[in-house]
Amino acid sequence: MRIFTFSLACLTILQSAFATDSNLTTPLSSHLILPTNFKPPQVFKNTNLVRSVNLEKGYVKETVNVVIENVDTNPQDEYYVPFEGSVVGKVGGFEVRDKKDTTKPVFRSELVEYDTYSPTQFYRITLPEPLNPAAQLTLSITYHLLSSLSPLPSTINQQDKQYLRLTFSTYAPSAYLIQKQKTKIKFPGVDIPEYTGEPERQGSTFTYGPYDNIPAGSESLASVRYEFTKPIIHATSLERDIEISHWGGNLATEERYQLTNKGASLSNHFSRVTWQSSQYYNPPVTAIKALNVPLKVGSLNPYFIDDIGNVSTSRYRSNLREANLELKPRYPIFGGWSFPFRIGWDADLKNSLRKVKGDQYVLKVPFLEGPKMGEGISYEKITLRVILPEGAINVKYETSVPIVAESISQHRTFMDTLGRTSLTLTAMNVIDESRDADLLVTYEYPLTAGLRKPVTIFLGVMAVFTTAWIVGQLDTSIGKRS
């Protein structure tokens, strides 16, 4: 039985692979396996590097601006960035640009693996043009780290402040020699009771360094503990469906969340009396009190459903300038508590779909919508499914969000014959800043495919009437005919 299941899984993977090769575009990031004895060749040096760490939200966001120089005698176009094996699985949104010309496209980057048990893994950056010997290029590398902050203490009282701890290296991760470097850390406030090292402190910003001539792969561990009396909102899973209807002119969206608060847990039982009395002066709290979901102007028929029933309060406000869906759980979501729910809405398809030429269409939708909170939201896994009309072919997509898996399948609904074409994309370690990223889907929808459903309905109705007429002509009497 296990052999049969394994064979079936392999066959499914092969079928998905062939479908992907024929219909889908190449993702912006991928996974490459290199030999086990691989080491980045020392063909570059970092002449000047400034690393900025932002802790103003419930996740860590880093920006590395570095001037690289080719120290080899030949042109080079591959630059490597190392991460610890325990950290690389938390990295998301890895993006590289030309610092001096942000209008240029994002550089291609991919995670390379050479040994599963190695303490170090690498991202490989491919420069758009080989860098000549002694030439320099300024890179802007941005990424974020999920689940890297830990509350300390891990349990607090209902009205206590929350403190988070971050352990990091004051040296930027580098596979090459760094001639000069400094690390800046931006905190959400000035309450920073504990830190190691000797940083230069200016308000809510720490600066470590400058450091000179740091060898490749060097580390200098440090830690900071700072106040963050806000919820750490994290979605372990988000399933987002976008369904297209040409006949109805409708764009239907549904999002299913598995939301949790990764902040400090309560040391005692939750007190409703204490909670209600504190609402008069509205102090900072670590609980999720409400969620604000901004929608596009013109959104229709919004709905909100708890997994255990509609036990929460929701309100939808819409005018000519904005549309807003407000969700308020019946109970505050403290650290360690979960809140599974789903929301959905409709929109006019003509605002998102455009016919290019012939039977070709272009669909432009946000890759991510959902709640927008000041403390930020992180997503461990996003599964986005775009359900196109039945008969759509030659599906391609484009997005700036790194995709780890993609497939095309058939989604069967009411009155379908073969099923609707469904594009499924999976992304890992995403943050709410991806709300600004768009998803472009192009596909062909022939006229014959558009007529398939009304013809099917017509034939179905005719079949029912024909069957009823034939049955009506049958003689079902028991006695003999006179």
Side-chain angles (χ1 to χ4, degrees):
M1 183 65 181
R2 291 183 177 178
I3 296 177
F4 173 75
T5 305
F6 176 76
S7 302
L8 183 61
C10 293
L11 181 60
T12 304
I13 293 173
L14 288 175
Q15 289 175 343
S16 300
F18 286 125
T20 299
D21 291 340
S22 61
N23 292 292
L24 299 182
T25 54
T26 304
L28 292 178
S29 66
S30 59
H31 194 76
L32 182 67
I33 299 179
L34 296 178
T36 56
N37 58 353
F38 169 77
K39 290 187 179 299
Q42 298 300 299
V43 295
F44 290 102
K45 71 175 181 181
N46 301 320
T47 60
N48 191 15
L49 187 149
V50 178
R51 176 191 183 196
S52 300
V53 182
N54 192 305
L55 301 177
E56 294 180 304
K57 293 190 175 182
Y59 47 80
V60 181
K61 184 178 180 181
E62 297 197 17
T63 301
V64 178
N65 296 323
V66 55
V67 180
I68 65 173
E69 180 179 336
N70 184 359
V71 297
D72 197 47
T73 57
N74 299 315
Q76 301 293 332
D77 64 349
E78 292 184 355
Y79 181 88
Y80 291 87
V81 179
F83 288 96
E84 293 183 5
S86 59
V87 174
V88 71
K90 304 175 183 179
V91 176
F94 191 90
E95 184 178 279
V96 185
R97 292 182 178 273
D98 187 338
K99 174 65 175 177
K100 294 184 177 181
D101 190 357
T102 56
T103 60
K104 291 183 178 179
V106 177
F107 295 176
R108 180 174 177 80
S109 60
E110 55 194 343
L111 178 64
V112 296
E113 179 183 340
Y114 63 97
D115 184 358
T116 306
Y117 301 100
S118 173
T120 306
Q121 304 293 339
F122 295 93
Y123 271 88
R124 185 178 72 175
I125 302 170
T126 303
L127 306 181
E129 297 178 358
L131 195 63
N132 293 323
Q136 293 184 345
L137 178 65
T138 304
L139 301 180
S140 177
I141 306 172
T142 59
Y143 56 89
H144 49 263
L145 301 174
L146 272 60
S147 304
S148 296
L149 303 172
S150 57
L152 185 67
S154 59
T155 60
I156 58 176
N157 291 323
Q158 191 169 316
Q159 295 179 302
D160 287 351
K161 291 183 178 180
Q162 176 179 257
Y163 289 88
L164 302 181
R165 179 179 62 181
L166 172 67
T167 301
F168 62 101
S169 173
T170 58
Y171 299 157
S174 175
Y176 311 97
L177 170 71
I178 304 177
Q179 286 188 325
K180 186 178 181 180
Q181 186 236 317
K182 65 172 62 175
T183 296
K184 297 182 178 180
I185 302 180
K186 176 64 176 175
F187 296 95
V190 296
D191 188 358
I192 312 167
E194 297 178 14
Y195 57 90
T196 59
E198 298 180 354
E200 177 186 349
R201 182 168 182 173
Q202 294 180 344
S204 60
T205 302
F206 280 8
T207 301
Y208 288 87
Y211 306 109
D212 298 323
N213 297 320
I214 306 171
S218 298
E219 283 189 340
S220 176
L221 293 180
S223 65
V224 292
R225 179 172 173 262
Y226 61 97
E227 182 199 352
F228 191 85
T229 311
K230 301 176 183 178
I232 303 178
I233 307 176
H234 179 74
T236 57
S237 174
L238 166 59
E239 297 177 351
R240 174 170 159 84
D241 290 348
I242 300 174
E243 187 171 349
I244 310 300
S245 174
H246 279 238
W247 280 97
N250 188 57
L251 178 70
T253 303
E254 180 175 282
E255 299 180 337
R256 297 176 292 277
Y257 289 85
Q258 296 292 330
L259 206 66
T260 185
N261 185 351
K262 302 193 74 172
S265 303
L266 292 179
S267 56
N268 297 312
H269 294 294
F270 168 67
S271 171
R272 174 67 69 176
V273 175
T274 303
W275 174 259
Q276 289 298 125
S277 61
S278 66
Q279 297 308 298
Y280 290 102
Y281 54 93
N282 196 27
V285 293
T286 60
I288 304 173
K289 297 191 294 183
L291 295 171
N292 181 43
V293 184
L295 303 178
K296 286 188 175 183
V297 176
S299 298
L300 305 170
N301 308 319
Y303 60 90
F304 162 65
I305 303 174
D306 288 318
D307 276 9
I308 58 173
N310 198 1
V311 298
S312 303
T313 303
S314 61
R315 182 175 64 171
Y316 179 64
R317 296 184 299 173
S318 177
N319 53 45
L320 296 177
R321 293 179 298 176
E322 63 178 358
N324 212 30
L325 178 62
E326 299 175 359
L327 312 178
K328 188 174 182 180
R330 187 175 62 175
Y331 55 90
I333 314 300
F334 280 95
W337 295 9
S338 297
F339 179 43
F341 66 96
R342 68 179 63 195
I343 57 176
W345 62 91
D346 295 330
D348 195 340
L349 182 60
K350 67 180 181 181
N351 296 328
S352 303
L353 187 69
R354 183 166 59 94
K355 188 173 184 179
V356 182
K357 57 180 179 179
D359 298 329
Q360 190 173 27
Y361 293 84
V362 177
L363 175 69
K364 181 180 179 181
V365 292
F367 185 88
L368 177 66
E369 293 184 85
K372 185 176 182 179
M373 307 294 289
E375 53 271 22
I377 303 178
S378 59
Y379 300 85
E380 184 175 335
K381 181 181 179 181
I382 296 179
T383 303
L384 173 60
R385 186 171 59 165
V386 182
I387 304 173
L388 301 172
E390 187 177 21
I393 57 176
N394 296 332
V395 181
K396 293 181 172 59
Y397 78 93
E398 180 180 345
T399 181
S400 60
V401 179
I403 303 300
V404 299
E406 54 188 18
S407 65
I408 285 184
S409 59
Q410 300 298 318
H411 176 75
R412 291 177 174 83
T413 57
F414 181 69
M415 294 300 293
D416 286 339
T417 53
L418 300 177
R420 303 186 183 187
T421 305
S422 175
L423 169 65
T424 303
L425 305 176
T426 303
M428 304 292 291
N429 298 338
V430 181
I431 59 175
D432 52 351
E433 292 185 2
S434 295
R435 292 176 58 91
D436 299 329
D438 289 324
L439 171 66
L440 296 177
V441 180
T442 61
Y443 61 95
E444 294 180 11
Y445 187 51
L447 178 62
T448 54
L451 296 176
R452 179 181 301 173
K453 179 161 289 188
V455 170
T456 302
I457 296 174
F458 174 76
L459 294 178
V461 172
M462 290 300 297
V464 171
F465 278 106
T466 303
T467 303
W469 180 81
I470 294 175
V471 171
Q473 298 302 311
L474 296 178
D475 183 10
T476 59
S477 59
I478 299 177
K480 294 182 180 180
R481 289 190 177 184
S482 56

